[in-house]
Amino acid sequence: MNPLTANLYRRVRTTLTRPRRQDAETVRNLRLGVGVIGTILPVTLIIANLILDDKVIVPASMSGTYYTSARNLFVGSLCALGVFLIGYRGDTRLQDLCTSFAGLCALLVAFAPTAPPSPKTEAAWVNYLHHSAAGALIFTLGLFCLTVFAQLAKPRAARPAMADHPSMILYLACGTLVLVSGALALYTGVWPTSWSTGWSSLYLFEAVAVFAFGSAWIAEPAGMIWPKLKLPLSRTRSRLTPSLSPQDSAALSGLPPSADRPSAAAGPPPQVDAASD
């Protein structure tokens, strides 16, 4: 890499990763709003179809809700999610770009519906746009949970210890669950097999992915509770390690007990004058 390109790359990287000041209260509320939408949306859509007495209670996929009585709830929730993600400001510009991209994908999923049930039809490009945006949304949110919340993008030495921060385990689990469930949803939608047909498997995988990322976003603003619940590993070890007496410590170290050792404050031993003898 020539010096000009290296310098340009260094400046762009510094601009994207430079820490920025942010309003903690606003960020916490945005995270909570994103998390609430994600956790309750899968179940709320089913309840809405039940209350409105729709013929289809659980559609084949969450996107299929667009053609049920819960369509307005589905579209409205995605619009709110998209606005929240676009308005969210992370610690770096790179995080801003990721959340803004995810918010744009959420809006595309809302306004570019999936293919309707037969015999209705729609333009093929709309269906392709919908599924591309949905896949990008799930992948980006799962990656965000792992790299930002679980801090896997940082070097191992710079990450907080899991013993001191139990929420890291939750972030890892949620991020992994989002990516795995999203991959299963893609597999089920593109290559349906005998075990995935005959029931709403695609809806289940999508619901698990949405619920998992919502749980991670709720846990992040609730992080202020974790310091009260955490049990540092060092404190645990100190409680479990029995205290030793000075004699036992000296025996283990191979030194005489403190009572038998000469004190440094007493000074050097007296000199004996050989001429006087």
Side-chain angles (χ1 to χ4, degrees):
M1 183 180 295
N2 59 67
L4 181 61
T5 305
N7 185 40
L8 179 61
Y9 171 76
R10 191 180 306 109
R11 294 184 62 180
V12 171
R13 181 179 179 182
T14 302
T15 303
L16 291 176
T17 58
R18 182 185 299 123
R20 303 172 59 189
R21 300 182 61 184
Q22 53 183 338
D23 184 353
E25 187 71 22
T26 301
V27 172
R28 183 164 60 249
N29 292 336
L30 284 174
R31 288 174 175 174
L32 187 60
V34 171
V36 168
I37 292 176
T39 51
I40 69 174
L41 182 61
V43 177
T44 305
L45 295 177
I46 297 176
I47 295 176
N49 284 330
L50 279 172
I51 294 176
L52 298 175
D53 197 21
D54 195 279
K55 293 185 295 184
V56 178
I57 304 302
V58 183
S61 65
M62 290 187 65
S63 301
T65 309
Y66 188 86
Y67 302 103
T68 67
S69 301
R71 175 181 61 185
N72 294 338
L73 177 62
F74 175 71
V75 174
S77 298
L78 284 178
C79 290
L81 180 62
V83 171
F84 280 150
L85 289 173
I86 293 175
Y88 176 83
R89 289 296 173 261
D91 296 329
T92 64
R93 189 175 299 276
L94 183 60
Q95 293 181 16
D96 293 349
L97 292 176
C98 290
T99 52
S100 298
F101 174 72
L104 178 62
C105 290
L107 295 177
L108 289 176
V109 172
F111 293 113
T114 186
S118 179
K120 299 179 180 178
T121 59
E122 70 174 6
W125 69 267
V126 177
N127 186 41
Y128 294 147
L129 178 62
H130 173 88
H131 287 90
S132 299
L137 173 63
I138 293 178
F139 176 78
T140 304
L141 292 177
L143 200 62
F144 194 87
C145 292
L146 293 176
T147 58
V148 178
F149 291 164
Q151 304 185 29
L152 292 185
K154 294 183 178 180
R156 183 180 296 272
R159 300 176 204 165
M162 290 191 181
D164 295 341
H165 297 271
S167 56
M168 294 299 167
I169 301 176
L170 177 62
Y171 299 147
L172 284 173
C174 289
T176 304
L177 198 57
V178 169
L179 295 179
V180 172
S181 299
L184 288 174
L186 177 64
Y187 177 82
T188 303
V190 177
W191 300 286
T193 56
S194 58
W195 64 269
S196 63
T197 55
W199 60 292
S200 301
S201 58
L202 180 55
Y203 190 99
L204 174 64
F205 294 138
E206 292 175 342
V208 170
V210 172
F211 179 84
F213 99 79
S215 299
W217 282 71
I218 286 180
E220 178 65 14
M224 64 184 70
I225 302 175
W226 285 110
K228 301 178 182 179
L229 300 179
K230 70 179 182 180
L231 183 62
L233 188 59
S234 58
R235 188 181 303 172
T236 306
R237 289 176 176 173
S238 63
R239 291 179 180 178
L240 297 178
T241 304
S243 59
L244 299 177
S245 63
Q247 290 76 11
D248 294 336
S249 300
L252 291 175
S253 61
L255 298 175
S258 57
D260 300 336
R261 293 199 302 266
S263 174
Q271 298 292 331
V272 179
D273 190 357
S276 64
D277 294 340

